[in-house]
Amino acid sequence: MAQTGSATPETRRGQRRQATLREITSTARQLLLRDGIVGVTVRAIAREMGMTPPALYRYFDSHEDVVSALTADLYDELVAVMEQARDAQPADDVAARLFAVTLAFRQWALDHRPEFGLVFANPITSMTAQLPDACELAGQRFGLVFGALFNELWQSRPFDVPDLADLDPHLVEQIEAFDDEVRGGLPVGATYLFLRCWVSLYGTVTMEVFNHLHWALEDSEPMFETVMADNARILGLADDHRRLYG
């Protein structure tokens, strides 16, 4: 009985602490949406929560740690959306699953522009991303959603890859320097195409999110669809793209 009695308060304290941690990151997100990243300060979060800044530091050691925790939460939210889209497709249709994840990534980005900016385009996250913390691990989980599908595609439906002699030697050298675990066992040519497709996808979505195509395109969706079709062709999925999207 004594052990049960002593464990319960500790469990309750832990639950209260976790609830407060969630409230802090939720408040930080509200400030991000309202005031931008410059408004996400320890003082502002504490004020919104009715706390003092020193009290908030009992939960996070620094402002960077708060931003890192929020970034990790956003990564995990995006991962859940992408995985849901992936799993809504037939398990044996890797093309449909890869396309679904791609579309889910873009839609989340367009629906959550300030959050996308924090996760993918804010310099403060570069400080925290160097640490083996929740933020970095969440980023790896995000990358693995695409990476696992790409590897599955390569294993089940190998596509044509360029002759390495036709690529810039320094580019090949850098890809070869990837840890094999990071490459997921993909050969250099396949890794090159993975990076090429990611650069075009990420670049297009980022330009859409920040309205950097607005000077030329009132509606950028057709450009995104063109990029998606180009990537499908590169990966030998042109027929699948036509099958699914006409």
Side-chain angles (χ1 to χ4, degrees):
M1 294 294 292
Q3 289 183 345
T4 302
S6 63
T8 301
E10 180 61 33
T11 299
R12 289 175 179 169
R13 281 195 294 270
Q15 291 173 342
R16 286 196 297 269
R17 179 175 178 83
Q18 289 302 314
T20 302
L21 290 170
R22 288 192 296 271
E23 185 179 359
I24 291 171
T25 55
S26 175
T27 302
R29 184 174 187 173
Q30 294 169 20
L31 289 168
L32 173 69
L33 296 177
R34 190 184 75 192
D35 303 325
I37 186 59
V38 296
V40 184
T41 65
V42 169
R43 185 174 296 278
I45 295 169
R47 182 176 62 247
E48 293 288 323
M49 294 179 61
M51 299 173 66
T52 64
L56 193 144
Y57 281 120
R58 292 203 294 268
Y59 298 90
F60 290 97
D61 292 335
S62 67
H63 170 246
E64 288 77 13
D65 285 345
V66 175
V67 174
S68 179
L70 174 57
T71 302
D73 286 350
L74 294 173
Y75 264 129
D76 286 340
E77 177 181 302
L78 173 55
V79 166
V81 168
M82 292 165 59
E83 290 179 337
Q84 183 178 21
R86 177 198 65 195
D87 295 342
Q89 303 302 317
D92 61 350
D93 193 341
V94 65
R97 288 160 71 84
L98 184 57
F99 294 147
V101 164
T102 300
L103 291 171
F105 168 68
R106 174 182 182 260
Q107 194 59 56
W108 186 91
L110 294 178
D111 291 342
H112 301 86
R113 295 172 190 248
E115 293 96 327
F116 179 90
L118 174 65
V119 174
F120 293 99
N122 197 280
I124 194 169
T125 59
S126 66
M127 294 186 293
T128 58
Q130 303 304 315
L131 303 175
D133 61 2
C135 180
E136 183 182 16
L137 294 174
Q140 291 173 2
R141 288 192 292 274
F142 164 77
L144 283 173
V145 178
F146 278 111
L149 285 170
F150 198 85
N151 194 284
E152 180 183 346
L153 175 64
W154 173 254
Q155 296 297 329
S156 62
R157 298 173 55 180
F159 42 85
D160 293 335
V161 298
D163 188 328
L164 299 187
D166 294 332
L167 300 178
D168 185 300
H170 186 48
L171 178 59
V172 173
E173 179 184 329
Q174 293 178 81
I175 295 174
E176 288 177 335
F178 274 10
D179 186 285
D180 190 58
E181 185 176 347
V182 175
R183 293 218 317 258
L186 291 173
V188 172
T191 304
Y192 159 75
L193 290 183
F194 176 57
L195 290 172
R196 180 175 164 184
C197 290
W198 171 245
V199 167
S200 63
L201 169 62
Y202 173 72
T204 303
V205 170
T206 300
M207 293 184 77
E208 287 189 285
V209 167
F210 297 116
N211 292 318
H212 289 169
L213 290 171
H214 189 66
W215 63 274
L217 302 173
E218 183 176 342
D219 178 9
S220 60
E221 185 168 0
M223 180 61 72
F224 170 80
E225 291 173 349
T226 299
V227 169
M228 191 170 171
D230 286 344
N231 282 351
R233 177 181 52 78
I234 289 170
L235 300 178
L237 299 176
D239 290 342
D240 298 272
H241 189 267
R242 285 190 291 269
R243 166 174 62 89
L244 294 164
Y245 303 106

